[in-house]
Amino acid sequence: MIKLTNISKSFGKHEVLHRINLTVEKGEVVVILGPSGSGKTTLLRCINYLEKPNEGQIEIGDFNLDYKQANKKDIHNLRQRSAMVFQHYNLFKHKTVLENVMEGLIIVQKFSADAAKQKSIEMLEKVGLGAKLDAYPSQLSGGQQQRVGIARALALNPEVILFDEPTSALDPELVGEVLDVIRKIAKEGITMIVVTHEMGFARDVSNHVVFMDEGIIVEEGRPQDIFGAPKEERTKQFLKRITSEWAYSI
């Protein structure tokens, strides 16, 4: 289980997150929706300490961390338990696909080169890139680069994978291949928190949907409830604008 308690973050006088509380059960796929600027990506980055929250706590399994008191060892332990898939891939351009996936295993988890290679090949085959081991990022499509990013996260065997709008930088025809990979790993029971604008994916794959606006969680619940009968007016307005082709009660 993952539990976030009172996560707050400000940039100067601008409060981006205000006392966020969220519980994610083991094996759940939680999708976070919301308009631009609502704090979705900041929340993900705070979970993984890519941004330091002003206050708040996180529990991942038996690991507990108070963000205000976190030291380097705490941050390292947190990142051992969580992995991030970024919007813009964040691959090393001068390294091959295989080397990109091996990097974290060797540097962070202290795998031997042989063990890292074996694990990386396994993960790249899982995402359909077993034939691209020696390719460089510049030789791949955007969808393939993002699948390398997913393989890199999977290789670390984290307790939760954080996806930050994994398809937003892709051409429309490449979105499906990435979502198919995420669907596949979701069926394996891997805990995931996904920030996305892909409403169909959110409705069909998630166990739990969170709608954020202006730094707070406005509403959360089962996908059939959020998409079928949202309770909050702000949620209704958002869904009406984004998913006008779907019927739901207003």
Side-chain angles (χ1 to χ4, degrees):
M1 183 184 75
I2 300 159
K3 185 177 181 181
L4 308 178
T5 304
N6 293 332
I7 305 296
S8 296
K9 174 65 180 176
S10 297
F11 294 103
K13 296 182 179 180
H14 178 53
E15 188 176 45
V16 180
L17 298 174
H18 179 71
R19 294 189 174 275
I20 297 292
N21 294 284
L22 179 65
T23 299
V24 180
E25 299 296 338
K26 185 176 181 179
E28 272 196 323
V29 178
V30 174
V31 167
I32 303 178
L33 307 176
S36 297
S38 58
K40 309 182 299 296
T41 291
T42 300
L43 178 59
L44 281 195
R45 292 177 63 84
C46 283
I47 291 173
N48 205 35
Y49 212 89
L50 295 174
E51 295 285 355
K52 180 183 178 181
N54 296 94
E55 62 178 312
Q57 298 82 40
I58 184 170
E59 299 176 31
I60 302 180
D62 59 359
F63 173 77
N64 296 274
L65 181 146
D66 186 321
Y67 284 108
K68 289 183 74 173
Q69 300 176 9
N71 56 37
K72 289 184 178 180
K73 182 179 179 180
D74 294 328
I75 297 166
H76 175 76
N77 287 335
L78 174 63
R79 290 176 178 166
Q80 289 272 8
R81 291 166 170 80
S82 58
M84 191 96 163
V85 176
F86 298 92
Q87 179 178 346
H88 294 291
Y89 326 134
N90 282 24
L91 302 181
F92 295 108
K93 295 180 180 180
H94 64 288
K95 292 183 180 290
T96 65
V97 165
L98 180 58
E99 290 168 340
N100 265 280
V101 180
M102 290 175 60
E103 182 82 4
L105 291 173
I106 294 172
I107 301 301
V108 178
Q109 298 198 346
K110 309 303 181 184
F111 274 52
S112 69
D114 286 343
K117 182 176 181 179
Q118 182 178 349
K119 179 75 169 180
S120 299
I121 291 173
E122 178 186 344
M123 293 301 104
L124 285 163
E125 289 176 344
K126 184 187 287 282
V127 301
L129 292 174
K132 297 288 187 180
L133 303 181
D134 297 323
Y136 288 88
S138 62
Q139 298 172 308
L140 303 179
S141 70
Q144 289 171 329
Q145 290 185 63
Q146 190 59 288
R147 283 189 278 154
V148 175
I150 294 171
R152 179 176 57 188
L154 286 170
L156 298 173
N157 196 31
E159 294 184 44
V160 58
I161 301 180
L162 311 170
F163 292 85
D164 181 18
E165 299 190 15
T167 61
S168 64
L170 300 178
D171 292 334
E173 65 268 23
L174 301 177
V175 168
E177 69 182 68
V178 172
L179 292 181
D180 285 345
V181 168
I182 299 175
R183 286 187 177 95
K184 177 182 176 181
I185 62 176
K187 291 179 181 178
E188 298 179 4
I190 297 172
T191 307
M192 298 190 288
I193 304 176
V194 186
V195 169
T196 185
H197 291 294
E198 297 291 338
M199 297 296 118
F201 173 85
R203 182 185 61 176
D204 298 338
V205 179
S206 67
N207 308 106
H208 193 87
V209 175
V210 174
F211 173 65
M212 290 184 63
D213 191 28
E214 296 184 350
I216 65 169
I217 293 177
V218 175
E219 186 169 357
E220 60 179 304
R222 300 180 305 169
Q224 58 265 42
D225 295 331
I226 298 297
F227 288 104
K231 296 177 181 179
E232 300 296 328
E233 186 61 35
R234 183 65 187 94
T235 313
K236 296 175 186 179
Q237 293 171 356
F238 177 80
L239 292 175
K240 185 176 182 180
R241 179 170 60 86
I242 299 296
T243 62
S244 58
E245 72 274 19
W246 293 344
Y248 62 92
S249 301
I250 297 182

